[in-house]
Amino acid sequence: MNEGVFNRIALLRAEQGVSRRELADALGVHYQTVGYLERGEYNPSLHLALRIAEFFGLPVETVFSTRPFPRISDAPRDELGRAASG
């Protein structure tokens, strides 16, 4: 049974222009911890997961999941070729 936790940390950092070090400093963790989280090499504690979601201003289930997130390239597209919004 896979106990992995999937996340969108790297995507959210890129969207918001936040470096690993900036996120780590805001959370009070080592910047390498952010890399481990992004790669799925480390599962965050509930407290850390909630703090990460709060940092990005999103519900925790938008940032973390027990199932893989769909790829952006798999999102439905409208007639203009843009990803359809929700």
Side-chain angles (χ1 to χ4, degrees):
M1 180 174 178
N2 183 359
E3 295 289 329
V5 174
F6 301 90
N7 70 76
R8 292 179 163 146
I9 298 170
L11 176 67
L12 293 167
R13 279 195 317 97
E15 284 181 352
Q16 296 189 20
V18 177
S19 73
R20 281 186 181 160
R21 191 171 298 276
E22 289 170 330
L23 178 57
D25 288 348
L27 298 171
V29 300
H30 194 277
Y31 75 94
Q32 288 180 327
T33 301
V34 175
Y36 295 143
L37 289 166
E38 290 178 349
R39 293 187 299 275
E41 296 172 12
Y42 173 74
N43 290 338
S45 66
L46 177 58
H47 184 252
L48 182 56
L50 290 168
R51 288 175 47 224
I52 291 168
E54 184 178 88
F55 175 88
F56 289 113
L58 295 168
V60 71
E61 63 272 16
T62 302
V63 183
F64 296 96
S65 177
T66 57
R67 295 188 180 136
F69 288 104
R71 296 181 317 178
I72 302 277
S73 58
D74 292 340
R77 299 191 173 272
D78 66 15
E79 65 280 356
L80 298 177
R82 296 182 305 234
S85 58

